[in-house]
Amino acid sequence: MDKFVYYLNENTDPFFNQAFEEYLFLKETEKNILLLWRNEPCVVCGSYQNIFAEVSVDDCNQRGIKIVRRPSGGGTVYHDLGNINYTIITSCNAKNVQYAPLIEPLVKALNSIGIPASLNRLSDIAIDGIKVSGSAQKILKNRVLHHGTLLFDCDLSVLRAVANGQRECFETKGTKSVPWPVTNMREYLPDLSTEEFLCKLAEAMKHLYEVEEATISPEEIREIERLKEEKYLSWDWNYGKSPKFVFTKPVTIGGKAAKVRYEAQKGVITDFSLTPFMGIETDKMAGVRLEPTELKKICTTVFGDAYFYRNLI
């Protein structure tokens, strides 16, 4: 097997870590790269998804959970410090990239440390059919960035609460997540902390791959920070990249039943209506970003209720 470069990354900022992956993917055009890393609580959406349909944006906002879009496809996932993420960057035949050859070494590593996992469906790892890992890919020319989650001791109650938008209210062409039962691997290794599991997994992976350890220079970190600021912290990337959609939902206003309908493009309301019409100046909703602070302000003006925004995202 070809040699892999293993970069130790102890940063848990999800915006930095997305930039870190992309920086290595674009910079290292020949090296095989292996990463193991963690994020503080966040929701990570696929490149082609409608974030508003897939994520409980307001719930994330209330909990202080960050939302970030990744450059690869696939569905929405929740990360916290009980979840390990892995990344493999390598050369490929762009016309015939398979998931299995990139996932199977990881399955072997998990088996070697006592996790009875196996490949499940196209891109998942499961134990007895219950998902413990999902993965996605980004292909550019003859290179593939393959990355995935490993649920070890994740807070599954939070996962279910925030990675679950009001999909039934949306008409959208965005990629839809496919819900699947999930579990943590810690029940198979109850005496291990997440940090100990990460160390054991790293050692197991190093036995499977010929690994050369490397670090990122201060100059490279500055470049990664620049990419983080310019792209991964931006509204345009995280929310504005959501495809055009129509949102419809029954609501109650002043004790009366009504229906809200709005259209949005690039995360901004373009047309808003209320049925039946109640003399409310709904035209003021056009041009408003679907962001809690902005929505609270405009909903105070239009509906006399700052928290009416919770009906809209």
Side-chain angles (χ1 to χ4, degrees), residues 195-250:
E195 291 76 13
E196 290 168 331
F197 170 73
L198 176 57
C199 289
K200 282 186 172 292
L201 179 63
E203 288 304 311
M205 293 295 284
K206 289 175 186 178
H207 279 108
L208 289 170
Y209 294 106
E210 184 181 349
V211 169
E212 171 190 338
E213 296 192 11
T215 57
I216 295 293
S217 71
E219 292 78 12
E220 289 176 309
I221 290 176
R222 284 193 288 271
E223 285 297 307
I224 295 167
E225 289 284 357
R226 179 189 60 78
L227 180 59
K228 164 189 161 180
E229 293 290 332
E230 293 179 359
K231 181 174 181 177
Y232 288 103
L233 281 174
S234 73
W235 169 272
D236 288 344
W237 171 256
N238 289 319
Y239 298 93
K241 199 173 183 294
S242 292
K244 182 178 179 179
F245 67 86
V246 176
F247 176 94
T248 308
K249 183 179 180 180

Side-chain angles (χ1 to χ4, degrees), residues 107-249:
V107 170
K108 290 180 181 178
L110 291 172
N111 293 164
S112 73
I113 59 177
I115 303 292
S118 60
L119 181 63
N120 182 55
R121 301 189 297 170
L122 172 68
S123 58
D124 296 347
I125 297 173
I127 301 173
D128 295 328
I130 308 298
K131 184 176 174 179
V132 295
S133 172
S135 61
Q137 294 181 346
K138 169 73 174 180
I139 299 166
L140 183 63
K141 296 181 180 179
N142 65 336
R143 299 283 284 173
V144 58
L145 184 158
H146 173 100
H147 51 190
T149 56
L150 291 166
L151 297 173
F152 183 74
D153 193 21
C154 182
D155 190 331
L156 299 182
S157 65
V158 176
L159 179 154
R160 296 184 181 103
V162 300
N164 182 24
Q166 305 178 72
R167 298 187 187 99
E168 70 281 0
C169 298
F170 289 83
E171 295 176 36
T172 179
K173 293 183 179 180
T175 301
K176 296 180 181 179
S177 298
V178 180
W180 194 270
V182 296
T183 190
N184 280 315
M185 290 182 278
R186 189 170 188 183
E187 62 181 271
Y188 297 91
L189 297 172
D191 297 329
L192 287 189
S193 67
T194 304
E195 291 76 13
E196 290 168 331
F197 170 73
L198 176 57
C199 289
K200 282 186 172 292
L201 179 63
E203 288 304 311
M205 293 295 284
K206 289 175 186 178
H207 279 108
L208 289 170
Y209 294 106
E210 184 181 349
V211 169
E212 171 190 338
E213 296 192 11
T215 57
I216 295 293
S217 71
E219 292 78 12
E220 289 176 309
I221 290 176
R222 284 193 288 271
E223 285 297 307
I224 295 167
E225 289 284 357
R226 179 189 60 78
L227 180 59
K228 164 189 161 180
E229 293 290 332
E230 293 179 359
K231 181 174 181 177
Y232 288 103
L233 281 174
S234 73
W235 169 272
D236 288 344
W237 171 256
N238 289 319
Y239 298 93
K241 199 173 183 294
S242 292
K244 182 178 179 179
F245 67 86
V246 176
F247 176 94
T248 308
K249 183 179 180 180

Side-chain angles (χ1 to χ4, degrees), residues 52 55-63 164-166 168-170 247-253 260 262 269 272 285 289-300 303-313:
F52 305 100
V55 183
S56 178
V57 175
D58 185 53
D59 201 1
C60 286
N61 185 60
Q62 296 295 320
R63 295 171 185 259
N164 182 24
Q166 305 178 72
E168 70 281 0
C169 298
F170 289 83
F247 176 94
T248 308
K249 183 179 180 180
V251 297
T252 301
I253 300 177
V260 159
Y262 70 81
I269 295 172
F272 193 101
M285 298 297 294
R289 288 198 314 178
L290 292 167
E291 187 274 325
T293 301
E294 285 195 28
L295 286 173
K296 285 173 74 173
K297 184 177 179 180
I298 193 65
C299 284
T300 300
F303 299 100
D305 179 4
Y307 293 95
F308 187 80
Y309 82 93
R310 290 176 175 167
N311 291 294
L312 307 179
I313 55 174

